[in-house]
Amino acid sequence: MAQWTQMKQLIPYLATQILNELYSPSFPMDVRCYLANWIEEQRWEDFEPEKVDQEPQALTLLDQIISCLQNLAGQNPNVVERMRLQRISRNMNMFRSQPFQLVLTVRDVLRKERELLSQSTQFPGLARFSQPPAQDSMAAAPPTRDVDLLVLKVLEIQDCRQQIHQLQEELNWERQNYESIMSEVTKLQTNIKQHEYNGQVIAKKRVQLLQEAVSSLEKCQSRLINRIKAWRWEQHQATIGHPFDDNLSPLQTWCEQLLGVNGKLRQEVMLAGEPIPELQERLGRLLQTLIQSSLMVDKQPPQVIKTQSKFSTTVRYLLGEKVAPGKPVLFKAQIITEAQARNLGQLGSLPSENVGELINNTAILEHNTSGKSTCATFRNMSIKKIKRADRKGSESVTEEKFALFFTTEISITGCDIPYKIQMISVPVVVIVHGSQDNNALATIIWDCAFSEPERIPFLVPERVPWKQMCRTLNSKFMSEVGTQRCLDNYNQHFLAQKIFDKPDIAGDYSNMLVSWAQFNKEVLPGRPFTFWQWFDGVIELTKKHLKSYWSDGLIFGFIGKQHLHLILKDRPNGTFLLRFSDSEIGGITIAYVAPSENGGQKIQNIQPSTKRDLEIRSLGDRIQDIDFITHVYPDLPKNDVFRKYYTGNMVAFGTQPCYLTTLLANMMLLNTNYVL
């Protein structure tokens, strides 16, 4: 409390000192005049000590004084004067706790000033001291006047001393402020240089990161392109029964993600301080490749197409959700030859010659919200006519390969220009008659099985190793029949004997080369059909009538004469096995052990049952009908094995019903020596 009382007593003194500083000659005359006029214009006489309720008015007046000083400081071009005025305005804030005391002090100072001024008018002689006397009257002046002049001189000297002292203090203060300001300036300069350096370091790092990001994008997109190519290759291989997952959603997500990254990187490159042409070009190439590679033939057309017959196909665009809205995207399809497909891959140009007339060859790209796919489906398409190339030598029309070629122009959101994209289907063979279907399918099988992933359209080798051919036959057989049971070593060995015309049971054929001619151009020795026609007939028969028998292991399958005699020669009479006929297309026969005329044994074969025969009576019922075959090789009772296939149905023969046993017995009597 005592400290506050002491501070309160100092307020008049402090206020006086501040006013003296404002009127100091160190300030320009215009500043001092402005302050004096402003202070004198205020109504100080309205404030009285006993009117304590005037304190809010006093606080308002204090705020006006501080605001006035701050305005003068802001308008003053002199740095030193501006700093002094700002300091004085800050010092005035100390009176906020007692603004009323400050106002009363200013009022008293102004009153004292007016009293002094009034006294100067009552003693005009004092005014004369301010004017130097004339030279000629100095001698006449009384001695006291010299003393008065001397006193005034001393007073002036004292005033100078005080001014010098005050100026020295101001100088010290300004020097201190200057040193502080210079220190701040030096610090700011250091900070500026540091920021400039940091900016350069970060700019270099940004460019490096951009380069690394573009390189990473190239690697990631390369993996994507390879996976897209693998998907197309697996789709192509599915024709011969290889496993294939047709789900394109993961690839679509991958494409969309890379497109988004590419767009962000292109934006960052554009926002860089200086253009980076090398990165812009790389990102542009990546974008074009991605947009082109995202077109897929989701549902391939039939690979054997008959003219004047309807078929459908679907193309899917993996960036469909990024297609710019507005103009519909129209896909067009045309048929191209193998030579045109080859030139297309080399030159990237559109085929100049139209080799076929396609009906319903346009489709709109449509987005399926539920399936999150964007597809163009060509429905009810057909080939009205086809122009074939000149054939060489013995080349058949069923060996000529075509493809469907899909094109459109597409705009992607965020890209400035539209892009022309195109894609070709897998090879197709165009036929004009159903009798050509089997040979055309052979061309497709050979193409799917033995072409290379990165081949020139549609090159295939003329010869392939037997082990590769054998894998193809096994895969095709299992996929077409729909079974998990494969062709065993006995079956595969006989197929090699068949295609190479090697009747001897011994021999390793795995590294021998099989030619296209051996597969489906030249007929088998002593037969009117090719190897593929015969093998495909077995597939059709098994798929439609013998699938469950084959899957249960009841059909031995492919076996040659020597091997058949070898495994049945020591078996009891009535032992039999089921084998595919090698003399007819699509036949299955029963080979069994029968007694010979001399008391020994012989191997007999019942005439093959064909598709038509099995449509009349099933294989199980036929086996049930034949009494003299009793055990399935090696020694399984036939009724135990085939019971689930027996139906017990009767057939009509003439006008009297009879069991098929009689019919089969008569057939066997006529064919007991049926040739293998």
Side-chain angles (χ1 to χ4, degrees):
M1 187 66 182
Q3 185 178 4
W4 167 245
T5 304
Q6 183 180 3
M7 184 65 187
K8 186 175 180 181
Q9 293 172 352
L10 288 174
I11 287 177
Y13 172 76
L14 295 172
T16 304
Q17 292 299 318
I18 290 174
L19 290 173
N20 288 337
E21 187 173 4
L22 287 174
Y23 291 138
S24 171
S26 60
F27 278 116
M29 180 61 70
D30 56 343
V31 175
R32 287 182 288 165
C33 291
Y34 178 82
L35 288 171
N37 292 334
W38 188 88
I39 291 174
E40 291 176 358
E41 288 174 357
Q42 308 307 312
R43 300 178 61 181
W44 306 97
E45 294 298 333
D46 293 342
F47 294 92
E48 296 296 337
E50 63 275 6
K51 296 181 179 180
V52 294
D53 58 337
Q54 292 180 323
E55 186 163 339
Q57 300 177 18
L59 182 59
T60 301
L61 192 54
L62 173 61
D63 290 336
Q64 292 175 355
I65 294 172
I66 295 173
S67 177
C68 179
L69 291 172
Q70 290 176 345
N71 290 337
L72 285 173
Q75 298 170 4
N76 199 317
N78 189 302
V79 177
V80 176
E81 294 175 1
R82 182 167 62 250
M83 298 296 291
R84 286 184 62 193
L85 288 169
Q86 291 175 347
R87 178 176 59 80
I88 294 171
S89 68
R90 289 194 298 271
N91 291 339
M92 294 293 285
N93 282 302
M94 72 175 65
F95 300 111
R96 288 191 177 277
S97 61
Q98 289 293 326
F100 197 62
Q101 294 295 327
L102 171 67
V103 171
L104 293 177
T105 301
V106 175
R107 184 201 66 178
D108 293 343
V109 170
L110 292 176
R111 285 178 178 179
K112 188 66 174 177
E113 180 182 345
R114 283 193 290 271
E115 290 175 3
L116 292 175
L117 290 175
S118 65
Q119 290 175 4
S120 65
T121 58
Q122 294 176 7
F123 301 97
L126 292 176
R128 292 198 298 269
F129 288 132
S130 61
Q131 299 293 332
Q135 188 68 27
D136 57 353
S137 63
M138 288 296 293
T144 57
R145 180 168 299 181
D146 293 337
V147 175
D148 291 337
L149 291 174
L150 184 58
V151 170
L152 290 175
K153 185 67 68 176
V154 171
L155 290 174
E156 188 175 359
I157 291 171
Q158 290 175 344
D159 184 61
C160 288
R161 175 180 55 77
Q162 291 176 353
Q163 291 184 27
I164 291 172
H165 178 73
Q166 184 176 358
L167 289 173
Q168 185 63 44
E169 288 181 346
E170 295 293 336
L171 177 61
N172 293 338
W173 186 86
E174 297 296 347
R175 182 179 288 114
Q176 180 182 354
N177 284 343
Y178 174 77
E179 291 175 354
S180 176
I181 292 173
M182 291 305 297
S183 175
E184 291 295 327
V185 170
T186 302
K187 184 178 180 180
L188 289 173
Q189 290 176 340
T190 303
N191 290 341
I192 290 172
K193 291 181 180 178
Q194 185 64 42
H195 290 325
E196 289 176 346
Y197 175 76
N198 292 342
Q200 293 172 356
V201 170
I202 295 176
K204 290 181 180 178
K205 181 180 179 180
R206 182 173 183 270
V207 173
Q208 181 181 357
L209 289 174
L210 278 172
Q211 292 173 338
E212 292 174 357
V214 173
S215 298
S216 297
L217 179 60
E218 288 174 335
K219 294 178 182 178
C220 188
Q221 184 164 311
S222 177
R223 291 194 295 270
L224 169 64
I225 300 302
N226 289 336
R227 184 64 195 95
I228 289 175
K229 291 179 179 179
W231 188 93
R232 291 171 177 157
W233 176 247
E234 291 166 4
Q235 184 191 45
H236 188 44
Q237 293 281 288
T239 302
I240 55 174
H242 286 195
F244 170 57
D245 181 6
D246 63 353
N247 183 17
L248 281 171
S249 296
L251 290 179
Q252 177 172 312
T253 301
W254 199 349
C255 288
E256 291 172 348
Q257 290 173 340
L258 291 190
L259 180 66
V261 171
N262 190 297
K264 292 179 180 178
L265 286 178
R266 283 185 289 118
Q267 183 180 23
E268 290 298 327
V269 171
M270 291 175 62
L271 293 176
E274 296 181 359
I276 312 176
E278 182 255 343
L279 293 183
Q280 291 175 334
E281 292 176 3
R282 289 166 64 185
L283 288 171
R285 289 194 299 268
L286 286 172
L287 177 63
Q288 185 172 7
T289 301
L290 179 63
I291 291 175
Q292 171 63 52
S293 301
S294 297
L295 180 60
M296 311 286 284
V297 183
D298 188 16
K299 303 297 181 184
Q300 294 284 353
Q303 290 192 260
V304 178
I305 303 176
K306 184 175 178 293
T307 57
Q308 309 295 334
S309 298
K310 293 181 181 180
F311 65 93
S312 64
T313 184
T314 301
V315 293
R316 176 171 174 175
Y317 195 55
L318 301 184
L319 294 176
E321 294 191 355
K322 307 301 179 182
V323 174
K327 183 179 179 181
V329 179
L330 180 66
F331 272 92
K332 181 180 180 180
Q334 67 182 101
I335 191 164
I336 60 175
T337 65
E338 180 176 342
Q340 288 176 326
R342 196 170 302 169
N343 293 332
L344 185 69
Q346 295 174 353
L347 304 176
S349 59
L350 297 177
S352 57
E353 182 183 5
N354 191 358
V355 299
E357 184 178 347
L358 278 177
I359 307 300
N360 299 324
N361 65 331
T362 59
I364 298 292
L365 189 67
E366 298 175 323
H367 183 67
N368 184 345
T369 305
S370 60
K372 294 183 179 180
S373 61
T374 305
C375 302
T377 301
F378 296 82
R379 301 177 179 86
N380 301 319
M381 187 185 290
S382 66
I383 301 176
K384 185 176 181 180
K385 60 181 180 180
I386 191 74
K387 179 181 179 181
R388 300 188 181 276
D390 295 334
R391 293 186 293 277
K392 299 178 181 179
S394 60
E395 186 179 26
S396 169
V397 294
T398 58
E399 298 178 55
E400 187 177 5
K401 287 178 278 191
F402 298 87
L404 295 186
F405 179 58
F406 305 96
T407 58
T408 192
E409 186 174 85
I410 202 162
S411 296
I412 300 296
T413 302
C415 299
D416 298 331
I417 59 174
Y419 291 85
K420 292 182 178 180
I421 58 175
Q422 58 192 41
M423 179 56 57
I424 63 172
S425 71
V426 295
V428 300
V429 176
V430 180
I431 62 175
V432 296
H433 194 275
S435 61
Q436 299 172 317
D437 183 78
N438 185 271
N439 290 330
L441 183 59
T443 300
I444 295 301
I445 295 296
W446 189 275
D447 183 272
C448 293
F450 309 124
S451 59
E452 296 294 332
E454 300 294 333
R455 65 169 172 176
I456 298 173
F458 297 110
L459 293 181
V460 287
E462 184 64 26
R463 297 176 180 272
V464 296
W466 165 249
K467 56 185 177 183
Q468 189 175 354
M469 167 64 78
C470 197
R471 287 194 298 268
T472 299
L473 296 175
N474 182 61
S475 177
K476 183 65 176 175
F477 184 90
M478 292 177 64
S479 64
E480 285 293 323
V481 173
T483 180
Q484 296 298 316
R485 182 189 170 200
C486 63
L487 301 177
D488 61 22
N489 292 333
Y490 296 113
N491 296 155
Q492 295 177 18
H493 188 82
F494 175 69
L495 292 175
Q497 290 179 291
K498 189 78 170 175
I499 200 168
F500 291 120
D501 190 24
K502 300 288 185 181
D504 294 335
I505 193 171
D508 181 13
Y509 305 103
S510 58
N511 293 321
M512 291 184 64
L513 296 179
V514 180
S515 67
W516 161 251
Q518 289 173 308
F519 180 68
N520 193 57
K521 200 168 186 66
E522 299 171 353
V523 297
L524 292 170
R527 306 290 186 233
F529 44 77
T530 66
F531 175 86
W532 166 251
Q533 291 170 343
W534 168 73
F535 185 80
D536 185 50
V538 171
I539 291 177
E540 286 296 310
L541 179 71
T542 307
K543 177 170 63 175
K544 294 181 178 179
H545 297 283
L546 306 176
K547 175 181 176 180
S548 57
Y549 297 93
W550 173 264
S551 298
D552 289 343
L554 302 181
I555 298 177
F556 195 93
F558 301 101
I559 184 172
K561 180 178 180 180
Q562 290 185 1
H563 191 192
L564 179 65
H565 281 269
L566 183 64
I567 65 175
L568 290 181
K569 67 178 182 178
D570 296 327
R571 295 286 125 187
N573 292 338
T575 302
F576 72 98
L577 58 77
L578 298 170
R579 53 178 288 271
F580 296 124
S581 172
D582 67 340
S583 61
E584 290 189 24
I585 294 178
I588 186 167
T589 187
I590 300 173
Y592 66 97
V593 180
S596 62
E597 293 79 1
N598 56 9
Q601 291 180 323
K602 61 182 178 179
I603 308 300
Q604 297 284 75
N605 291 275
I606 298 177
Q607 182 175 348
S609 298
T610 62
K611 172 184 175 182
R612 183 177 180 182
D613 298 326
L614 297 179
E615 287 174 348
I616 297 174
R617 190 157 178 81
S618 69
L619 179 64
D621 287 338
R622 289 173 179 270
I623 291 174
Q624 181 186 19
D625 294 338
I626 305 174
D627 294 333
F628 51 81
I629 55 174
T630 58
H631 289 76
V632 182
Y633 176 83
D635 55 3
L636 301 175
K638 75 170 184 179
N639 290 331
D640 293 346
V641 175
F642 285 93
R643 189 179 308 279
K644 68 177 182 178
Y645 295 103
Y646 297 163
T647 64
N649 294 332
M650 299 175 61
V651 298
F653 187 73
T655 58
Q656 299 294 326
C658 69
Y659 287 101
L660 195 60
T661 306
T662 306
L663 177 62
L664 290 176
N666 292 335
M667 292 173 58
M668 286 186 291
L669 289 175
L670 297 174
N671 297 280
T672 53
N673 293 318
Y674 181 72
V675 180
L676 286 172

